[in-house]
Amino acid sequence: MHKPVWFPKQEQMEQTRLYRFMKRLGFRDYDRFYEQSIKNIAWFWDEVVNDLGLRWMMPYRQVLDMSDGIAWTRWFVDGKINISDNCLDRFVEEPAARHRLALIWEGDDGTTKKYTYRDLWLEVNRLACGLKKLGVAAGDCVAIYMPMIAENVIAMLAVARIGAIFTPCFSGYGAEAVATRIQGCQAKWLITADGYLRRGKVVAMKEEADRAADLSPSVEKVVVVSRLGRDCPWNPDRDVKWDQLTAEMKTLSPAVTDANDPFMIIYTSGTTGKPKGTVHVHSGFPLKAAFDAGYAFDVGPGDILFWVTDMGWMMGPWMVFGTLLLGSTMLVFEGTPDYPIPGRLWELTEKHGVTHLGISPTLIRALMKHGTSWFSQRDLSSLRVFGSTGEPWNPEPWHWLFEQVGGKRVPIFNYSGGTEISGGILGNHFFKPIVPCGFAGPLPGMDAEVFDDQGKTVRGEVGELVLRQPWVGMTSGFWQDARRYEDTYWSRWPKTWLHGDWVIVDEGGQWFITGRSDDTLKIAGKRLGPAEMESVLVDHPSVIEAATIGVPDADKGESAVCFVVVRGDGEEVQSLTEELVRFVGERMGKALKPKRVHIVDELPKTRNGKILRRVIRAAYLGENAGDLSSLENAHAVEKIRRLAGV
């Protein structure tokens, strides 16, 4: 059994929103409250909506409807709600809240800008009016490929205000990866920027956006923010300046949208095929994000949440909607946490009074190398919680963050779920002791269990993480691909969501994630399907076929290693490996480029032609590859072992 190192104090518990919520509902014991939250999920989420004070244009008549099956649960039936209205108008109309800080932006160069709720509301209205004038209508898809600037947040809220749907794209993606997402939802509009700063250098973004638009016939207009004021290619028939689009100060009433109308399609990678477009609705993702932020992390008015992320990853929109629905403040940061000094992250925390700091184990491993001097002279007294997501911890960086940076005062709230979840399945909070690298258990409303291969609950051994009931925020399927959604999550056991994580619960009731049960990679917390990288590789004229695996990496947690079969032979072929690494980096973004590319004669395949990545990974890492009886060419495995020197 693992021993806790942080224990909540009674006064800490009693100051939390979750405690007040529990007390109002007649609970003082957390375990009893959790059991009731999964015993009666309709009651639970109804109470959450009331406690958050959400504003409905038309009240719902039923909390949930599972008549089409658990996989297609509909929430807040017949309710009308617009999430932009609830994030902004609700507070702007309240004299005590309208001048409260909503967003702080800091650029790579230290430039800072602040927006109150009213400031943000005004900018969102300007853009919403401009987009509507441009032809954006309810139900249309708008791709957002922007750096971490305030306009990214404004764009999301403006699109939602119209009743349209936005698709956020990682700012580090190359054109092909952006185009895949544009094409997936047939977006007619692309919002981007001329560029941004990273480590003091200009990153040209408009050029990549142009290439993505050229690859996407659906794109009619490209809206461009002048972040840097740089000269860049301009297509007068397609390009529109953000400043011109937002020149008029007009207001636009929020569209009356159904609770189950989509407002966001965010793509997440799987182990096979193209990225999956997870569909999120007005009464789903934002509500789950706000619940987790407000009741697990205890974010509220006066708090400043800073999650080191990108808007193309789930935690970006999570931060936006989680903070704004709670009337609190987000910090959006364009730069990197260790530039121009290794202590930039701690400088930001001190400068802006950050109360909730969200990081990844990869980031902490990188900052550890610089020692303690960079934070020891900083005033970090504002910090109340470290949030952590993206990948499992290893003990050394966890203890360094908790003991050295946080002085054993600031708890590390592990948080794990996913894009399809809209937040967390497992987490820590102020009601349970914290064990290094572990989770206190499932969050309220999340009926999670650990199943063995027979679908039976297990303790003390590794099993599959599953959910046995629906929850607010669950993806409303994949965009125009219902069967793939059902096959991915609902096909193994009846009425049971299979999440794809290996989990173990120890005898003390602490939960630990041991890794993915499928082939999905997590590179520095960024989820990547091998098929997406393989598709880029086979676009190279020399590559016939490819396979990608994830291997442990001391800095990133996991890195991609690729195996390719190529045309030709000899020295000319061997010189391709570095070129292929660059080739992938240019198209997918430097952050996702593979650690290494190996050229092989053939890839291990089953008799029906399926490439077995599991076998490749095991052979490369010198692990037991398991049953190879289904392989057509078992000798290929031995060649990979020799390649790795094992």
Side-chain angles (χ1 to χ4, degrees):
M1 188 173 76
H2 302 81
K3 293 184 178 179
V5 296
W6 181 86
F7 298 87
K9 296 181 174 65
Q10 186 65 30
E11 57 268 28
Q12 278 180 310
M13 292 188 211
E14 293 180 0
Q15 290 170 3
T16 64
R17 182 169 193 154
L18 181 55
Y19 180 85
R20 295 193 300 273
F21 183 48
M22 287 168 48
K23 187 177 177 182
R24 182 173 70 77
L25 297 175
F27 295 90
R28 292 183 182 271
D29 177 74
Y30 175 82
D31 290 331
R32 282 188 59 243
F33 168 73
Y34 169 76
E35 287 302 323
Q36 191 62 31
S37 79
I38 61 171
K39 183 178 179 181
N40 190 341
I41 55 174
W43 161 83
F44 173 73
W45 289 110
D46 187 42
E47 291 291 354
V48 170
V49 165
N50 292 332
D51 199 64
L52 284 170
L54 296 188
R55 187 157 74 178
W56 296 83
M57 296 163 167
M58 182 184 294
Y60 50 90
R61 62 173 177 81
Q62 186 178 340
V63 176
L64 77 164
D65 177 3
M66 291 194 286
S67 59
D68 292 330
I70 187 173
W72 302 102
T73 300
R74 295 174 67 248
W75 292 89
F76 310 111
V77 180
D78 291 341
K80 306 295 181 186
I81 188 172
N82 185 293
I83 206 58
S84 181
D85 175 55
N86 275 274
C87 286
L88 297 173
D89 302 58
R90 189 164 54 108
F91 297 107
V92 171
E93 292 168 18
E94 184 184 330
R98 65 172 61 116
H99 299 302
R100 191 185 296 158
L101 207 54
L103 187 155
I104 304 168
W105 174 74
E106 180 160 322
D108 182 78
D109 58 358
T111 304
T112 301
K113 191 170 183 180
K114 298 182 179 182
Y115 297 76
T116 65
Y117 272 79
R118 187 173 184 276
D119 294 334
L120 195 57
W121 177 81
L122 288 169
E123 294 302 321
V124 167
N125 271 278
R126 284 178 190 268
L127 181 61
C129 288
L131 289 174
K132 197 161 186 182
K133 198 172 181 180
L134 206 60
V136 180
D140 286 339
C141 291
V142 180
I144 301 176
Y145 173 50
M146 298 177 79
M148 288 294 279
I149 55 178
E151 288 85 351
N152 202 324
V153 177
I154 292 164
M156 289 193 287
L157 291 163
V159 171
R161 192 174 193 85
I162 294 169
I165 306 163
F166 68 86
T167 296
C169 302
F170 172 45
S171 61
Y173 274 147
E176 282 80 0
V178 176
T180 297
R181 285 148 180 82
I182 294 173
Q183 294 164 14
C185 64
Q186 291 294 293
K188 296 179 183 178
W189 293 271
L190 173 61
I191 304 179
T192 190
D194 58 350
Y196 58 98
L197 296 177
R198 183 173 176 82
R199 295 188 172 277
K201 296 179 180 178
V202 171
V203 178
M205 200 171 206
K206 173 62 162 57
E207 289 81 349
E208 288 296 307
D210 283 344
R211 286 178 57 217
D214 290 342
L215 291 166
S216 309
S218 64
V219 174
E220 297 174 5
K221 297 291 182 182
V222 177
V223 178
V224 186
V225 174
S226 180
R227 158 70 181 103
L228 302 176
R230 59 181 285 268
D231 289 330
C232 53
W234 197 260
N235 180 346
D237 295 326
R238 188 172 69 185
D239 297 341
V240 181
K241 292 182 178 180
W242 173 289
D243 288 346
Q244 290 180 351
L245 205 61
T246 59
E248 278 190 271
M249 183 54 249
K250 289 185 176 180
T251 59
L252 179 72
S253 297
V256 179
T257 48
D258 189 87
N260 292 280
D261 281 346
F263 83 104
M264 175 175 70
I265 301 169
I266 184 166
Y267 282 83
T268 182
S269 297
T271 57
T272 58
K274 293 181 178 179
K276 307 184 294 284
T278 61
V279 180
H280 291 291
V281 301
H282 281 262
S283 67
F285 184 103
L287 177 52
K288 171 64 172 165
F291 176 80
D292 289 3
Y295 297 80
F297 289 93
D298 198 45
V299 175
D303 287 324
I304 296 173
L305 171 65
F306 172 31
W307 211 286
V308 183
T309 186
D310 188 275
M311 291 303 167
W313 309 128
M314 186 213 80
M315 292 308 296
W318 183 95
M319 175 173 67
V320 172
F321 295 102
T323 54
L324 295 181
L325 281 184
L326 296 166
S328 55
T329 310
M330 76 186 88
L331 170 59
V332 175
F333 176 50
E334 177 189 48
T336 50
D338 59 352
Y339 177 86
I341 57 172
R344 181 72 182 274
L345 181 65
W346 318 121
E347 178 186 69
L348 285 162
T349 301
E350 177 186 56
K351 178 179 178 181
H352 299 294
V354 172
T355 56
H356 295 72
L357 177 61
I359 48 80
S360 68
T362 293
L363 173 57
I364 298 307
R365 284 192 289 268
L367 295 180
M368 276 177 66
K369 299 175 183 177
H370 301 297
T372 61
S373 61
W374 292 104
F375 62 79
S376 60
Q377 302 303 312
R378 296 288 179 188
D379 178 7
L380 304 181
S381 59
S382 63
L383 278 174
R384 292 176 51 216
V385 174
F386 289 121
S388 166
T389 193
E391 60 190 309
W393 281 95
N394 49 312
E396 187 182 4
W398 193 98
H399 283 285
W400 185 82
L401 179 65
F402 177 65
E403 295 167 8
Q404 300 296 321
V405 183
K408 300 183 180 181
R409 174 186 68 85
V410 184
I412 300 173
F413 283 8
N414 253 5
Y415 184 61
S416 185
T419 308
E420 307 90 328
I421 305 297
S422 299
I425 299 173
L426 305 177
N428 289 317
H429 42 73
F430 282 103
F431 289 77
K432 295 278 185 178
I434 293 177
V435 164
C437 310
F439 300 83
L443 294 170
M446 307 301 288
D447 189 8
E449 255 307 344
V450 184
F451 278 6
D452 65 12
D453 288 342
Q454 284 71 48
K456 295 180 180 177
T457 299
V458 291
R459 290 290 183 269
E461 62 181 82
V462 172
E464 292 274 9
L465 178 62
V466 300
L467 286 160
R468 299 178 295 188
Q469 292 192 79
W471 65 96
V472 161
M474 61 188 287
T475 181
S476 297
F478 298 154
W479 185 251
Q480 297 178 341
D481 200 346
R483 174 168 286 186
R484 188 179 179 198
Y485 164 64
E486 292 180 348
D487 289 347
T488 301
Y489 295 110
W490 299 98
S491 61
R492 186 164 180 185
W493 292 296
K495 300 180 180 180
T496 302
W497 171 282
L498 176 68
H499 192 59
D501 279 342
W502 287 120
V503 172
I504 187 169
V505 183
D506 73 8
E507 57 191 70
Q510 290 286 330
W511 295 53
F512 297 86
I513 293 177
T514 62
R516 294 292 298 169
S517 58
D518 59 18
D519 293 328
T520 303
L521 288 72
K522 276 201 174 179
I523 301 172
K526 301 172 181 68
R527 195 172 173 188
L528 175 75
E532 193 170 0
M533 189 171 288
E534 291 158 8
S535 297
V536 172
L537 283 164
V538 297
D539 277 344
H540 190 282
S542 296
V543 177
I544 300 169
E545 59 182 353
T548 297
I549 63 167
V551 301
D553 184 289
D555 294 322
K556 294 185 176 182
E558 193 170 32
S559 287
V561 172
C562 304
F563 301 83
V564 296
V565 178
V566 300
R567 298 174 177 85
D569 51 32
E571 292 182 2
E572 180 184 343
V573 166
Q574 292 306 317
S575 67
L576 271 175
T577 56
E578 290 184 12
E579 180 185 334
L580 290 172
V581 169
R582 289 194 301 272
F583 184 79
V584 174
E586 287 168 2
R587 282 154 181 77
M588 299 198 71
K590 291 181 180 179
L592 299 177
K593 74 177 182 180
K595 184 177 184 179
R596 195 168 289 113
V597 174
H598 292 290
I599 296 173
V600 295
D601 295 329
E602 55 186 327
L603 298 168
K605 294 180 182 178
T606 62
R607 288 176 175 81
N608 61 3
K610 182 180 179 181
I611 297 171
L612 290 185
R613 300 184 190 89
R614 168 186 63 82
V615 170
I616 295 172
R617 186 178 188 277
Y620 190 73
L621 296 178
E623 299 171 352
N624 182 0
D627 181 15
L628 303 180
S629 60
S630 64
L631 281 181
E632 179 73 22
N633 54 346
H635 56 273
V637 179
E638 291 305 317
K639 290 186 178 180
I640 290 172
R641 285 199 180 101
R642 290 198 297 272
L643 196 68
V646 295

